Amino acid sequence: MVKCFHPTCLSTGSRSHMLLIREKCVLHSNTEECLMTPETAIWVRLSSRNPDSISTSACWMRTSLPHSSGQRSPSHWKRVSLEEVLQWSQSFEKLVTSKYGPMIYKTYLKTEHSDENIEFWLACEAYKKITSQRKRISMARKLFTSYIQPQAPNEINIDSPARKAIIRNIQEPTQSCFDEAQRIIYMHMERDSYPRFLESKFYQKLKRSLQNNGDN
């Protein structure tokens, strides 16, 4: 079971309202989607007709904070700040290194069917922080089977030399094993989808919504 962090679901507490099927909340079925990560849940309203017409007036961020009992509290809600959203337009680096930027950007990339790019980039960031060789080998293999090998379920678009270099090193992966592939994917996103994200109705509506809230 995975919790839906839509405010209505949290307030009702109904177990049937907290089930997600293919990332869609049972209660809100075809009009709303709950995008989950281990630490953060993002709720956005999606138009069933036009993915680009995402309404962001109720785009919520929830940072999970543990109780002393070890349970995670549903009461610690935060709305993404206008300051952070405006910073995303300054550079792609500021978007992907901000607190909520990667998850919002991933939500947009899902409408372009290319969210594997940001997933891979973030996974590489986590991979580089691993110090245990045993854990590094395990994660390297997961990255390889998920994103690198031909016909991988989330295969990314990298050139043949980068792919072959990973294949050569996958048995004894180093910290930099995926650096070139990560660089290529970063370049693709920065050059292609990032400019479209900034011009999209998705980003513009989010920005206007937060600006209007600030005026109220």
Side-chain angles (χ1 to χ4, degrees), residues 1-6 18-20 22-25 33-43 62 64 103 106-107 110 119:
M1 176 175 291
V2 183
K3 283 187 178 181
C4 167
F5 290 101
H6 181 288
M18 290 183 175
L19 289 176
L20 293 179
R22 293 182 182 176
E23 294 189 321
K24 291 196 175 180
C25 171
E33 185 172 4
C34 301
L35 303 172
M36 310 302 300
T37 68
E39 296 300 326
T40 306
I42 300 173
W43 173 73
R62 176 185 180 276
S64 302
M103 293 301 104
K106 178 182 175 181
T107 304
K110 286 175 75 72
E119 286 181 351

Side-chain angles (χ1 to χ4, degrees), residues 34-187:
C34 301
L35 303 172
M36 310 302 300
T37 68
E39 296 300 326
T40 306
I42 300 173
W43 173 73
V44 293
R45 183 184 298 272
L46 299 179
S47 164
S48 59
R49 294 184 179 180
N50 182 7
D52 196 39
S53 64
I54 295 173
S55 169
T56 53
S57 60
C59 180
W60 290 92
M61 304 298 175
R62 176 185 180 276
T63 301
S64 302
L65 299 177
H67 286 298
S68 57
S69 63
Q71 297 295 321
R72 294 189 181 277
S73 168
S75 62
H76 297 279
W77 289 75
K78 291 184 179 180
R79 185 173 293 210
V80 60
S81 70
L82 175 60
E83 179 183 7
E84 180 180 346
V85 171
L86 292 177
Q87 286 178 350
W88 297 345
S89 64
Q90 295 175 12
S91 71
F92 184 59
E93 181 181 7
K94 287 191 175 182
L95 170 66
V96 296
T97 58
S98 66
K99 186 172 184 179
Y100 295 122
M103 293 301 104
I104 291 289
Y105 185 55
K106 178 182 175 181
T107 304
Y108 171 75
L109 290 183
K110 286 175 75 72
T111 70
E112 293 194 342
H113 306 289
S114 61
D115 49 308
E116 70 278 358
N117 289 328
I118 189 64
E119 286 181 351
F120 174 73
W121 189 88
L122 291 171
C124 288
E125 289 295 285
Y127 172 82
K128 289 186 289 189
K129 296 176 182 177
I130 296 175
T131 56
S132 164
Q133 181 64 7
R134 179 180 61 82
K135 291 181 180 179
R136 181 180 292 137
I137 291 172
S138 175
M139 187 168 182
R141 289 174 179 170
K142 289 177 182 178
L143 286 172
F144 179 76
T145 56
S146 296
Y147 300 102
I148 304 298
Q149 71 180 10
Q151 306 304 315
N154 302 301
E155 186 178 359
I156 56 172
N157 182 19
I158 57 176
D159 57 37
S160 180
R163 195 180 307 274
K164 288 179 179 179
I166 294 173
I167 293 173
R168 285 196 305 269
N169 298 318
I170 196 65
Q171 296 305 318
E172 292 292 334
T174 62
Q175 186 182 43
S176 60
C177 182
F178 296 94
D179 280 5
E180 179 61 13
Q182 186 186 23
R183 185 193 66 79
I184 292 171
I185 293 304
Y186 183 96
M187 181 184 66

Side-chain angles (χ1 to χ4, degrees), residues 175-209:
Q175 186 182 43
S176 60
C177 182
F178 296 94
D179 280 5
E180 179 61 13
Q182 186 186 23
R183 185 193 66 79
I184 292 171
I185 293 304
Y186 183 96
M187 181 184 66
H188 286 333
M189 292 189 293
E190 183 178 36
R191 182 186 61 197
D192 298 331
S193 55
Y194 172 61
R196 291 195 298 272
F197 168 74
L198 294 180
E199 295 297 324
S200 69
K201 292 179 181 179
F202 178 86
Y203 177 70
Q204 296 301 324
K205 284 186 176 183
L206 173 59
K207 187 167 61 173
R208 284 198 301 271
S209 174

